[in-house]
Amino acid sequence: EPEVTQTPSHQVTQMGQEVILRCVPISNHLYFYWYRQILGQKVEFLVSFYNNEISEKSEIFDDQFSVERPDGSNFTLKIRSTKLEDSAMYFCASRGGLGGKNIQYFGAGTRLSVL
Amino acid sequence: SQQGEEDPQALSIQEGENATMNCSYKTSINNLQWYRQNSGRGLVHLILIRSNEREKHSGRLRVTLDTSKKSSSLLITASRAADTASYFCATEMTTDSWGKLQFGAGTQVVVTP
């Protein structure tokens, strides 16, 4: 079964550093998402991406965050200057279309630890 | 405002018993989905139920949806130790054009042999 792949599985960084989290969505999917889950809390939506642009973003997704689809396969989330509170599990998801049976498939996540 | 809320927050049962967890939401939805998460791992999609459906089955899973009460339930029958995980409901709202999901806080299920 096709799957969403995320790398790295665990990223440790110093506060103030830039990090890039990488995702390879399912190949024929058109809609891409990033979510995060702070330890012990619910999964929160960050951003959705379609047709090479952001379609929606949450309040969490401020100027420190950006997303990019640099080629036909990768989808990245960049945090420019990490803060301690950015420590969380970050999930990438993709779906083939909207509505109906088009479910979101999630990657295994990248655990970001900001020290 | 929080969209999906599960209860109970935690559930401990013996192998072979059934596990039931509930999810309530606040606004109109296109569909409601249930995901499973093993400790510290990714989200695995279990089942999707559309707003015009009332019940769906998948293996040992049974999901119901009551749009008048804005609630859903997930039943796991004949539970196994391997069912130990956190279970989340996630809703896709009708007002949302881009398909984002809003997750509840989850129910942590522990199945003891």
Side-chain angles (χ1 to χ4, degrees):
Chain A
E1 183 174 295
E3 59 180 15
V4 177
T5 306
Q6 289 187 245
T7 55
S9 57
H10 190 192
Q11 174 88 48
V12 181
T13 189
Q14 295 289 326
M15 194 169 56
Q17 295 295 304
E18 174 184 287
V19 294
I20 296 176
L21 310 182
R22 301 181 192 280
C23 170
V24 179
I26 294 172
S27 63
N28 60 347
H29 282 188
L30 302 174
Y31 298 84
F32 312 109
Y33 307 84
W34 283 101
Y35 294 81
R36 80 170 185 191
Q37 183 183 33
I38 294 171
L39 187 64
Q41 296 185 26
K42 63 171 66 176
V43 177
E44 302 172 289
F45 166 77
L46 293 178
V47 66
S48 59
F49 192 85
Y50 170 72
N51 200 26
N52 280 322
E53 60 184 25
I54 290 173
S55 47
E56 188 176 2
K57 59 184 180 180
S58 71
E59 291 175 355
I60 303 167
F61 195 89
D62 61 22
D63 292 345
Q64 292 301 309
F65 291 87
S66 62
V67 288
E68 200 175 41
R69 188 157 160 81
D71 52 43
S73 60
N74 291 287
F75 180 49
T76 61
L77 174 68
K78 182 194 294 186
I79 310 175
R80 288 190 185 80
S81 177
T82 50
K83 307 190 232 350
L84 295 175
E85 54 264 38
D86 293 327
S87 293
M89 185 78 107
Y90 288 81
F91 293 106
C92 172
S94 70
R95 63 193 290 181
L98 292 179
K101 301 175 187 175
N102 290 297
I103 65 174
Q104 283 187 38
Y105 292 89
F106 283 77
T110 293
R111 181 169 298 284
L112 177 64
S113 300
V114 182
L115 306 177
Chain B
S1 64
Q2 294 181 352
Q3 175 68 340
E5 294 296 329
E6 289 98 332
D7 79 87
Q9 291 184 341
L11 185 59
S12 186
I13 55 175
Q14 299 282 328
E15 231 174 6
E17 292 180 339
N18 295 341
T20 301
M21 59 211 89
N22 304 296
C23 170
S24 61
Y25 58 91
K26 290 181 165 52
T27 60
S28 295
I29 59 171
N30 286 327
N31 62 65
L32 185 145
Q33 304 178 42
W34 286 89
Y35 284 83
R36 165 198 166 116
Q37 184 182 37
N38 286 64
S39 181
R41 306 290 294 275
L43 294 159
V44 175
H45 185 267
L46 295 176
I47 199 163
L48 179 154
I49 186 165
R50 286 182 263 186
S51 59
N52 62 352
E53 298 175 313
R54 292 296 164 258
E55 188 171 314
K56 279 190 89 167
H57 296 254
S58 176
R60 291 183 297 113
L61 304 179
R62 174 177 167 256
V63 169
T64 63
L65 179 65
D66 187 334
T67 52
S68 67
K69 294 181 180 176
K70 291 187 168 56
S71 68
S72 172
S73 67
L74 171 67
L75 167 68
I76 305 172
T77 60
S79 61
R80 306 167 182 165
D83 294 329
T84 295
S86 290
Y87 293 82
F88 295 90
C89 70
T91 54
E92 186 179 321
M93 296 193 293
T94 54
T95 54
D96 198 316
S97 304
W98 298 104
K100 74 169 185 277
L101 294 177
Q102 298 213 4
F103 284 82
T107 294
Q108 192 169 4
V109 175
V110 175
V111 183
T112 52

